């Protein structure tokens, strides 16, 4: 009977969703485990000895070098070093920095806010600009507006971020601060501090924005072009709706799905890709911390930042997959 069939189908759908979520969570956990192993092994392959770096240009006896190696734990076998690292990571302990002799977790926490500020501001602006331009370009397909903005987006998408940042530094020399996040002579008032940070934020934010918005624009344009010949839009026009209403109420909401999932996928990648931008502009975030740690090499800092950045990519990918299933009924029914 119909009622009995509905009762049978409902648990099946719920169990299917539970299996889907459990599978994605399991895959994310496996990926995170591989990140921990890869991060540990990868930075052991970097040329250079942290002990030699710390004792460079200092008169040091062999006994002192041996004591330093023991204190840092680099005298142990590689497998034992990994066990100590993984055990500490499981407890939330990212270790102590070789260079600064500070907890890595505290150092990452200090640098996380500048990176979130930079990436968050650039991402929000890129979403607004990319979606608006993508909709306009698709709706005016083949026009001069479409060709010009598509060409600009393709060019910016292919430009290396560090090279674009250097060009902006040269082109705007003297107009905006080129280094750091704050000026030393700014009053302690909140409004003055906020304006100063915003002034320093312009160049790194524009550098990230120029590359990120291009991806959103091109994806939105392509998605909307696929929707423009759909039957439901022809029906809406036949009912006498204005072209602007057809676009805003019908075409754009359906074309947004791929772009919404791209936002989550790209956010993790943007966070992990700020190393070059932060280095060019000396922005005191996780990217600059990674660059400074490479000169040691400061292995605990490199491992900690790598786990945080790679973990953000995994979490955003997981969120995108779950959100896609939630928003698209075709995926839920499969």
């Amino acid at each position: 009977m119909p009622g009995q069939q509905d009762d049978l189908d409902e648990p099946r759908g719920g169990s299917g969703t539970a299996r889907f979520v459990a599978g994605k969570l399991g895959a994310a956990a496996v990926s995170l485990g591989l990140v921990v192993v890869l991060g540990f092994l990868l930075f052991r392959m970097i040329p250079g000895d942290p002990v030699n770096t710390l004792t460079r240009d200092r008169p040091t006896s062999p006994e002192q070098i041996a004591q330093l190696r023991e204190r840092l734990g680099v005298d142990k076998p590689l497998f034992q070093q990994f066990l100590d690292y993984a055990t500490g990571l499981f407890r939330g302990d990212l270790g102590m920095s070789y260079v600064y002799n500070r907890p890595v977790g505290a150092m990452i926490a200090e640098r996380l806010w500048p990176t979130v500020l930079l990436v968050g501001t650039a991402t929000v602006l890129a979403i607004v600009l990319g979606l608006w331009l993508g909709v306009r370009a698709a709706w005016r397909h083949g026009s001069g507006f479409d060709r010009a903005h598509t060409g600009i987006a393709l060019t910016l998408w292919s430009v290396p971020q560090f090279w674009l940042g250097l060009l902006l530094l040269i082109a705007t020399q003297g107009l905006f601060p080129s280094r750091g996040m704050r000026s030393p002579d700014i009053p302690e008032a909140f409004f003055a501090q906020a304006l100063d940070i915003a002034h320093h934020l312009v160049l790194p934010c524009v550098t990230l924005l120029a590359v990120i918005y291009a991806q959103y624009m091109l994806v939105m344009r392509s998605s909307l072009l696929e929707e423009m010949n759909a039957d439901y839009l022809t029906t809406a026009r036949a009912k006498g709706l204005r072209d602007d209403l057809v676009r805003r109420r019908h075409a754009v909401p359906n074309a947004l799905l791929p772009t919404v999932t791209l936002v989550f996928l790209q956010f993790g990648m943007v966070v992990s890709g700020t190393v070059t931008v932060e280095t060019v502009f000396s922005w005191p975030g996780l990217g600059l911390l990674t660059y400074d740690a490479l000169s040691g090499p400061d292995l605990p800092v490199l491992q900690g930042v790598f786990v945080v950045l790679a973990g953000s990519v995994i979490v955003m990918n997981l969120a995108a997959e779950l959100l896609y299933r939630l928003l698209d009924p075709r995926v839920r029914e499969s």
Side-chain angles (χ1 to χ4, degrees):
M1 297 178 63
Q4 293 176 344
Q5 184 65 38
D6 292 341
D7 293 340
L8 292 174
D9 288 342
E10 185 176 353
R12 188 183 306 165
S15 62
T17 301
R19 285 196 301 270
F20 176 83
V21 173
K24 294 301 179 182
L25 289 175
V30 171
S31 299
L32 191 58
L34 292 175
V35 162
V36 172
V37 176
L38 179 62
F40 177 83
L41 296 176
L42 179 65
F43 296 115
R44 261 68 184 175
M45 299 170 61
I46 298 177
D49 186 345
V51 174
N52 291 339
T53 302
L54 292 174
T55 57
R56 184 184 303 159
D57 300 327
R58 298 179 182 177
T60 311
S61 66
E63 292 77 12
Q64 291 174 320
I65 292 178
Q67 291 176 359
L68 183 58
R69 287 187 178 278
E70 182 181 359
R71 182 172 67 84
L72 299 180
V74 295
D75 61 329
K76 300 178 182 178
L78 191 63
F79 183 71
Q80 184 61 46
Q81 292 184 43
F82 174 75
L83 285 181
D84 293 342
Y85 165 65
T87 303
L89 193 62
F90 185 76
R91 297 195 308 264
D93 181 11
L94 297 176
M96 297 289 291
S97 167
Y98 291 167
V99 177
Y100 301 99
N101 197 29
R102 294 183 56 202
V104 173
M107 296 177 64
I108 291 177
E110 290 175 358
R111 301 294 189 99
L112 185 61
W113 160 242
T115 295
V116 171
L117 175 64
L118 173 59
V119 172
T121 304
T123 301
V124 170
L125 294 177
I127 291 171
V128 174
L129 181 62
L131 296 188
W132 184 80
L133 289 176
V135 169
R136 297 289 175 179
W139 212 252
R140 303 177 186 179
H141 180 55
S143 65
F145 181 93
D146 178 31
R147 290 194 298 269
H149 283 280
T150 301
I152 293 172
L154 287 171
T155 302
L156 291 175
W157 197 357
S158 61
V159 171
Q161 291 180 350
F162 76 91
W163 186 74
L164 181 60
L166 292 175
L167 287 182
L168 287 176
L169 280 175
I170 296 172
T172 62
Q173 192 170 10
L175 296 177
F176 299 99
S178 60
R179 297 178 60 83
M181 184 176 173
R182 290 184 175 89
S183 300
D185 55 348
I186 299 298
E188 294 294 331
F190 173 80
F191 188 68
Q193 290 285 332
L195 282 180
D196 182 54
I197 292 175
H199 197 207
H200 284 77
L201 183 64
V202 171
L203 289 183
C205 182
V206 169
T207 303
L208 276 179
L209 168 64
V211 177
I212 303 171
Y213 102 89
Q215 303 176 50
Y216 296 144
M217 178 199 162
L218 294 173
V219 171
M220 186 65 195
R221 175 183 177 275
S222 176
S223 180
L224 187 55
L225 284 175
E226 292 180 0
E227 296 288 336
M228 285 176 59
N229 294 324
D231 293 338
Y232 69 90
L233 294 185
T234 304
T235 303
R237 292 190 182 96
K239 291 180 179 179
L241 292 180
R242 297 196 314 272
D243 203 50
D244 182 60
L245 289 177
V246 172
R247 182 180 70 243
R248 284 190 292 108
R249 295 184 180 180
H250 298 279
V252 172
N254 286 282
L256 272 176
L257 182 59
T259 311
V260 170
T261 55
L262 178 67
V263 168
F264 282 85
L265 290 172
Q266 288 299 117
F267 187 77
M269 298 300 294
V270 171
V271 170
S272 61
T274 56
V275 175
T276 55
V277 175
E278 291 186 1
T279 302
V280 169
F281 296 100
S282 298
W283 187 261
L286 294 178
L288 185 60
L289 179 63
T290 303
Y291 178 80
D292 293 338
L294 284 170
S295 61
D298 196 340
L299 297 181
V301 173
L302 290 173
Q303 292 168 172
V305 175
F306 181 80
V307 169
V308 171
L309 296 183
S312 69
V313 175
I314 294 172
V315 170
M316 289 298 111
N317 286 351
L318 175 63
E321 291 177 329
L322 297 179
L323 181 65
Y324 196 89
R325 183 179 176 87
L326 178 65
L327 295 179
D328 194 341
R330 294 169 298 183
V331 178
R332 292 199 302 269
E333 294 169 1
S334 60

